[in-house]
């Protein structure tokens, strides 16, 4: 397994739309394992392939308290969403240390393939619901800051560019 590089906002590659995965094979299973290792190392609860510059419909997540219940979602689809909405703080491994309120569906039903290519579906609520919606946005080329006002987005963009520049200085 290997740690992957997580793209940082405002990297334009974060806005690429991910393509469906035609075949679940060893390459996809290795990518999922590497993404899980990367997500855990970065202390995240979810990671989309788009964030590691692979533009295919793959998400990994683990919202369990002990971080011992990894989920691999290949070609995920939302098949039902609640009318009830919830407003909560969101963060993103591609926008480190930035958190802001985003409104999401309180409950969702998701259909996907697992790491063996077998179809399954599950219902998510609370943090798991927010996480899967957030990661599916990444697959559509959308970063959570795009839910914020233009002024907030611009401030975050400037802050992220400056931080990246400062980190690259010797």
């Amino acid at each position: 397994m290997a740690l992957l590089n997580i793209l940082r906002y405002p990297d334009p590659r974060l806005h690429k739309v991910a393509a469906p995965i035609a075949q679940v094979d060893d390459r996809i299973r290795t990518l999922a394992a590497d993404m899980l290792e990367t997500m855990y190392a970065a202390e995240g609860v979810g990671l989309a392939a788009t964030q590691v510059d692979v533009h295919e419909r793959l998400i990994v997540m683990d919202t369990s308290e002990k971080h011992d219940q990894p989920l691999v979602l290949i070609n995920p689809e939302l098949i039902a969403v609640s009318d009830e909405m919830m407003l909560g703080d969101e963060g993103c491994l591609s926008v480190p240390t930035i958190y802001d309120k985003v409104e999401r569906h309180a409950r969702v039903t998701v259909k996907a393939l697992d790491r063996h290519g077998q179809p399954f579906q599950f219902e998510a609520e609370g943090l798991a619901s927010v996480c899967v919606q957030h990661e599916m946005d990444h697959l559509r080329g959308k970063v959570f800051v795009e839910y914020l006002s233009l002024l907030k987005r611009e401030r975050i963009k400037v802050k992220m560019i400056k931080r990246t520049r400062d980190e690259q200085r010797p």
Side-chain angles (χ1 to χ4, degrees), residues 90-109:
E90 274 188 44
C92 180
L93 295 177
S94 291
V95 196
T97 73
I98 303 294
Y99 297 88
D100 213 316
K101 298 224 178 290
V102 176
E103 189 173 51
R104 300 279 187 183
H105 296 281
R107 289 173 306 288
V108 297
T109 304

Side-chain angles (χ1 to χ4, degrees), residues 6-7 62 83-84 86 101 103 124 126 129 152 155:
I6 299 173
L7 299 177
D62 185 347
D83 290 334
E84 180 187 351
M86 58 187 275
K101 298 224 178 290
E103 189 173 51
S129 175
K152 280 186 177 181
R155 285 182 177 161

Side-chain angles (χ1 to χ4, degrees), residues 35 37 141 145-146 163:
M35 287 173 59
E37 182 179 0
V145 297
E146 293 172 50
R163 184 180 300 159

Side-chain angles (χ1 to χ4, degrees), residues 2 5 10 15 24 54 65 73 84 125 142 156 169:
N5 181 49
H15 298 293
V24 179
V54 177
E65 283 189 31
L73 307 175
E84 180 187 351
E125 61 183 331
K142 187 170 186 174
I156 292 167
R169 287 197 181 126

